[in-house]
Amino acid sequence: MTSANRKDQQPEGIDRRRLLLVLLIASVYFALFMFLPAGTWAWMKGWLFIAVFLGVMVVVALYLWRVNPEVVVARSRSHTGTKRWDKILMCFFLTAVYAIIPVAALDDGRFHSFPLPWWVCGIGYVLFLVGTAILTRAEAVNKFFEPTVRIQTDRGHKVIDTGPYAIVRHPGYVAAFFFMAGVALALGSLWALIPAGLSCVLLVLRTQWEDQTLQAELEGYKEYTERVRYKMIPGVW
């Protein structure tokens, strides 16, 4: 392979403007929806979570940029062709996900409704890290891992059946279950498990609809379902 060919195969650049916007929104989100509901800037569980979250995300980003830069670029850019049902479903899903932190802040930071011992928070961080590890592995082997449901004809979309995709068909959603439950517990909140649980229910629905879409529209996916029978939980579903 010539150097010219290698250059041609490099992924498009990251949408830096969109990335900076996301970082700005994240900063505002943490300020308004974590410490404002907590009623104090001295909520230590909140600061600890931010430190761990940002540290882990930096490590994950550097790792993915080394092993699969194309997925990093794809996830930093907007794309056309997202299914209409997914746009609607994601509005409800993201609302539930974004509610986890403020509910936890109200519960543990302000009202102290059901104080949890630190060892339970530790379990939360374990779940968070397990979810992050599964998600990162899925992104590392799947360059088509985008945040919305669409058939990526512009990117030569094809079935991925390696890594965690050899075990279940939607490992990213399995990771999300661990991730969201982990965030709620890491922040010391039982009440936050309610929006976390709701987001998991919505993910199950999305998994079903996405799988139906892929079987109907992505070449080779139906055959893939015969090799890998389960969507999320081996031996169950």
Side-chain angles (χ1 to χ4, degrees):
M1 181 185 295
T2 66
S3 59
N5 287 337
R6 285 195 297 270
K7 184 176 181 180
D8 290 341
Q9 291 185 2
Q10 290 297 314
E12 298 179 49
I14 291 176
D15 186 340
R16 290 181 174 82
R17 181 177 299 178
R18 188 166 186 264
L19 181 59
L20 288 173
L21 179 61
V22 168
L23 293 175
L24 176 61
I25 291 174
S27 301
V28 173
Y29 170 77
F30 279 126
L32 294 181
F33 294 97
M34 177 174 280
F35 296 106
L36 186 61
T40 177
W41 289 99
W43 185 36
M44 295 309 299
K45 288 177 183 174
W47 286 112
L48 176 61
F49 177 78
I50 290 176
V52 173
F53 178 82
L54 293 179
V56 169
M57 291 303 106
V58 168
V59 172
V60 168
L62 292 175
Y63 171 73
L64 289 176
W65 186 252
R66 184 174 67 85
V67 300
N68 190 6
E70 193 167 347
V71 77
V72 178
V73 173
R75 291 181 67 82
S76 75
R77 305 180 72 87
S78 58
H79 303 277
T80 59
T82 298
K83 298 298 180 182
R84 184 172 182 273
W85 62 260
D86 190 49
K87 294 179 181 179
I88 297 172
L89 184 62
M90 286 300 286
C91 291
F92 293 99
F93 171 72
L94 292 176
T95 298
V97 171
Y98 291 149
I100 295 174
I101 286 179
V103 169
L106 285 169
D107 178 18
D108 186 77
R110 182 183 292 265
F111 297 117
H112 312 287
S113 305
F114 297 100
L116 297 180
W118 276 100
W119 65 266
V120 175
C121 299
I123 292 175
Y125 279 107
V126 171
L127 294 176
F128 167 77
L129 292 174
V130 168
T132 302
I134 297 173
L135 179 64
T136 302
R137 180 57 181 159
E139 291 178 302
V141 301
N142 184 5
K143 69 178 183 178
F144 305 109
F145 198 113
E146 290 187 0
T148 63
V149 176
R150 72 185 188 101
I151 303 301
Q152 303 169 37
T153 53
D154 55 319
R155 302 182 60 221
H157 200 173
K158 65 179 182 179
V159 173
I160 302 296
D161 58 2
T162 58
Y165 292 93
I167 303 172
V168 293
R169 302 202 294 269
H170 299 276
Y173 296 152
V174 175
F177 277 37
F178 286 99
F179 185 93
M180 291 180 291
V183 170
L185 293 179
L187 290 171
S189 174
L190 290 179
W191 281 107
L193 289 174
I194 295 176
L198 176 59
S199 63
C200 289
V201 170
L202 293 172
L203 270 188
V204 170
L205 181 59
R206 191 189 198 206
T207 300
Q208 179 64 28
W209 289 353
E210 180 177 345
D211 206 77
Q212 291 174 350
T213 297
L214 293 172
Q215 288 193 49
E217 301 181 31
L218 182 60
E219 182 180 354
Y221 192 85
K222 200 165 187 63
E223 293 75 14
Y224 168 60
T225 65
E226 297 172 358
R227 300 194 305 273
V228 178
R229 296 177 54 194
Y230 300 104
K231 299 181 183 73
M232 299 182 71
I233 306 175
V236 179
W237 185 66

